[in-house]
């Protein structure tokens, strides 16, 4: 139990206020260095861009206004896998800290889309948008034989729709979010040996708003806005004292992108910028990330993709109220990506590889995404 408490203090920045309300960042943007599952279909291969492009149902979470249907109906399924990453700090004086970041299987996204009219598309989509498992190895205290871990999952059910006015498309994605966090290896009254389990969770409705604009013959511009929210965290295990209130905050997010399409749609070049006001969270600075990518159509069936994107370390080491181990930039990652898609009759098959081993920090991941869209 000491390990669990220590990890919360060091990693999740548990901040108490005089009103007995405190924040716990359950799988928010503070954990994007591993938590995000990149279930964006073909977009992952081209630097995870897609705010301004033409996306199938797998890309509606990037921009609902970019949701394009080529058939009356479509079914989409995606799966992602992330490699394990160990994070460790060793000090000349004092304890060492070591934990593993592990993939939680299955990480899937699937849904059904429909062209209601020539101008109106809609769908329903389930997504395991974020997930991570922390396995605590060493936190300067005596370890038991029981695995001490924290498993966090974010699930969402989305109902996106987009209406095209010609050169301008407007989209909206109302969605329901459910987040659950399970601790194992906890000492409880019924299990004082440290083999207990406790959980907490929250649910929330929110929506993404998007716009896509065709500028001239070759350019398209897109933007997405997701409002902020604060949700009350609940627990059935008396996780919190009755006189305390725990909340989880997701700051607002804005994404903007541009895409250039070559003659006869032979190639596409894309660039996105993503901002999130994470300075509203204690111990963090604002989040700024950049994505670039390209796609080349070899023939009518085969398309190749490549790209690059960033995930910057947003921990604020100058905040006197919060203390993090390590140094600024430890969680910064630079991803190099590649991918391809192949069309067989009514099937569009895709695969993407995203790798951050060129990074200089502690997090170096390989992420694989594969999926298909079936139109009919």
């Amino acid at each position: 139990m000491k390990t669990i408490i220590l990890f919360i203090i060091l990693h999740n920045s548990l901040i108490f206020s005089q009103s007995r309300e405190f924040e716990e960042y359950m799988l928010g943007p503070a954990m994007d260095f591993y938590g995000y599952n990149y279930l964006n279909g073909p977009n992952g291969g081209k630097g995870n861009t897609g705010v301004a492009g033409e996306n199938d149902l797998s890309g509606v979470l990037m921009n609902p206004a970019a949701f394009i249907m080529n058939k009356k109906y479509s079914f989409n399924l995606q799966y992602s896998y992330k490699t394990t990453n160990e994070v460790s700090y060793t000090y000349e004086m004092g304890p060492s800290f070591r934990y593993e970041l592990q993939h939680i299987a299955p990480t899937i996204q699937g849904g059904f889309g429909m062209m209601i009219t020539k101008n109106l598309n809609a769908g329903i989509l389930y997504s395991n948008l974020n997930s991570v498992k922390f396995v605590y190895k060493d936190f300067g205290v005596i370890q038991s034989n029981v695995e001490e871990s924290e498993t966090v999952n974010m699930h969402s059910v989305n109902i996106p729709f987009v209406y095209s006015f010609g050169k301008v498309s407007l989209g909206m994605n109302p969605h329901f979010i459910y987040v659950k966090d399970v601790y194992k290896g906890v000492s409880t009254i019924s299990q004082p040996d440290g083999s207990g389990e406790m959980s907490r969770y929250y649910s929330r409705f929110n929506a993404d708003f998007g716009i896509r604009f065709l500028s001239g013959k070759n350019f398209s511009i897109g933007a997405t806005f997701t409002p902020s929210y604060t949700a009350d965290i609940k627990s059935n295990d008396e996780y919190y004292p009755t006189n305390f209130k725990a909340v989880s905050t997701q700051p607002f997010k804005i994404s903007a992108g541009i895409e250039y399409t070559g003659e006869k749609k032979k190639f596409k070049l894309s660039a996105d910028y993503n901002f999130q006001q994470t300075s509203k969270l204690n111990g963090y600075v604002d989040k700024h990330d950049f994505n670039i990518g390209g796609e080349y159509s070899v023939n009518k069936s085969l398309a190749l993709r490549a790209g690059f994107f960033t995930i910057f370390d947003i921990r604020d080491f100058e905040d006197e109220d919060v203390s993090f181990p390590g140094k600024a930039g430890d969680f910064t990652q630079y991803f190099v990506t590649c991918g391809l898609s192949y069309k067989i009759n009514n099937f569009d098959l895709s695969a993407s590889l995203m790798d951050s081993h060129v990074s200089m920090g502690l997090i170096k991941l390989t992420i694989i995404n594969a999926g298909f869209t079936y139109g009919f």
Side-chain angles (χ1 to χ4, degrees):
M1 185 61 180
K2 292 180 180 179
T3 298
I4 300 291
I5 295 173
L6 181 60
F7 184 78
I8 293 173
I9 294 174
L10 293 175
H11 181 71
N12 287 351
S13 306
L14 185 65
I15 308 300
F16 288 86
S17 66
Q18 294 180 353
S19 63
R20 295 181 181 272
E21 177 179 289
F22 59 90
E23 296 179 354
E24 295 214 52
Y25 308 139
M26 288 177 58
L27 209 56
M31 293 188 185
D32 276 356
F33 58 86
Y34 189 92
Y36 192 64
N37 285 328
Y38 298 97
L39 292 162
N40 298 317
N43 298 291
K46 55 177 183 175
N48 208 43
T49 58
V51 177
E54 294 183 348
N55 302 326
D56 60 22
L57 188 61
S58 66
V60 297
L61 302 185
M62 304 186 80
N63 185 358
F67 172 30
I68 305 297
M69 293 278 296
N70 295 319
K71 300 284 186 178
K72 179 68 175 178
Y73 305 102
S74 70
F75 174 77
N76 179 270
L77 184 65
Q78 301 288 322
Y79 182 87
S80 288
Y81 172 78
K82 299 177 290 190
T83 54
T84 298
N85 195 109
E86 182 176 279
V87 178
S88 63
Y89 300 96
T90 302
Y91 301 95
E92 293 183 3
M93 298 181 64
S96 61
F97 302 92
R98 184 166 61 94
Y99 58 91
E100 279 188 353
L101 302 167
Q102 295 184 1
H103 172 77
I104 301 174
T107 302
I108 60 173
Q109 175 176 287
F112 177 79
M114 178 179 180
M115 183 189 297
I116 299 175
T117 69
K118 182 179 179 180
N119 302 95
L120 177 64
N121 297 333
I124 182 168
L125 182 74
Y126 161 78
S127 180
N128 184 194
L129 187 62
N130 294 271
S131 61
V132 59
K133 180 178 181 180
F134 298 91
V135 179
Y136 311 140
K137 298 292 186 177
D138 182 8
F139 273 78
V141 295
I142 298 175
Q143 303 294 117
S144 66
N145 295 325
V146 179
E147 178 184 270
E148 298 183 6
S149 65
E150 176 188 4
T151 301
V152 201
N153 256 302
M154 176 181 286
H155 307 273
S156 69
V157 177
N158 307 265
I159 307 178
F161 57 89
V162 54
Y163 190 87
S164 174
F165 296 91
K167 288 190 175 182
V168 178
S169 297
L170 298 178
M172 182 178 177
N173 177 36
H175 54 271
F176 174 78
I177 302 167
Y178 178 76
V179 181
K180 186 173 183 179
D181 188 352
V182 178
Y183 285 103
K184 292 184 178 181
V186 179
S187 296
T188 63
I189 295 176
S190 60
Q191 294 174 294
D193 60 347
S195 62
E197 179 178 308
M198 301 184 75
S199 64
R200 52 191 180 147
Y201 60 92
Y202 76 79
S203 58
R204 176 78 186 201
F205 284 97
N206 204 10
D208 306 312
F209 302 90
I211 184 171
R212 182 172 179 264
F213 175 69
L214 301 179
S215 178
K217 184 179 179 180
N218 303 100
F219 283 94
S220 59
I221 301 169
T224 308
F225 171 71
T226 304
S228 63
Y229 68 77
T230 298
D232 293 344
I233 301 174
K234 301 177 182 179
S235 176
N236 297 327
D237 302 311
E238 298 184 356
Y239 189 94
Y240 304 108
T242 55
N243 57 335
F244 282 88
K245 179 182 178 181
V247 298
S248 182
T249 298
Q250 288 274 2
F252 79 81
K253 181 179 179 180
I254 297 176
S255 299
I258 185 170
E259 182 170 276
Y260 174 80
T261 302
E263 295 298 325
K264 299 181 180 180
K265 296 186 176 182
K266 194 68 175 177
F267 70 92
K268 298 178 181 179
L269 299 174
S270 308
D272 291 352
Y273 165 68
N274 300 283
F275 169 81
Q276 195 162 11
Q277 196 185 26
T278 43
S279 60
K280 290 293 185 179
L281 307 178
N282 290 306
Y284 295 90
V285 298
D286 285 335
K287 186 174 175 60
H288 304 268
D289 288 311
F290 304 88
N291 308 60
I292 58 173
E295 175 180 306
Y296 177 74
S297 296
V298 179
N299 51 48
K300 292 183 179 180
S301 299
L302 178 63
L304 304 178
R305 303 179 181 90
F308 172 86
F309 68 93
T310 65
I311 297 291
F312 289 114
D313 190 347
I314 59 173
R315 297 174 299 167
D316 187 358
F317 283 81
E318 296 182 2
D319 190 329
E320 297 180 353
D321 295 329
V322 181
S323 177
F324 295 101
K327 62 183 184 300
D330 278 348
F331 289 177
T332 292
Q333 293 177 82
Y334 302 102
F335 279 90
V336 178
T337 74
C338 63
L340 59 84
S341 63
Y342 194 82
K343 296 184 179 182
I344 305 175
N345 298 323
N346 291 338
F347 283 93
D348 287 354
L349 310 177
S350 68
S352 301
L353 176 68
M354 295 156 273
D355 189 274
S356 67
H357 280 78
V358 297
S359 307
M360 302 299 292
L362 297 177
I363 313 294
K364 295 177 173 63
L365 300 179
T366 299
I367 303 169
I368 300 172
N369 170 268
F372 71 88
T373 297
Y374 177 70
F376 58 100

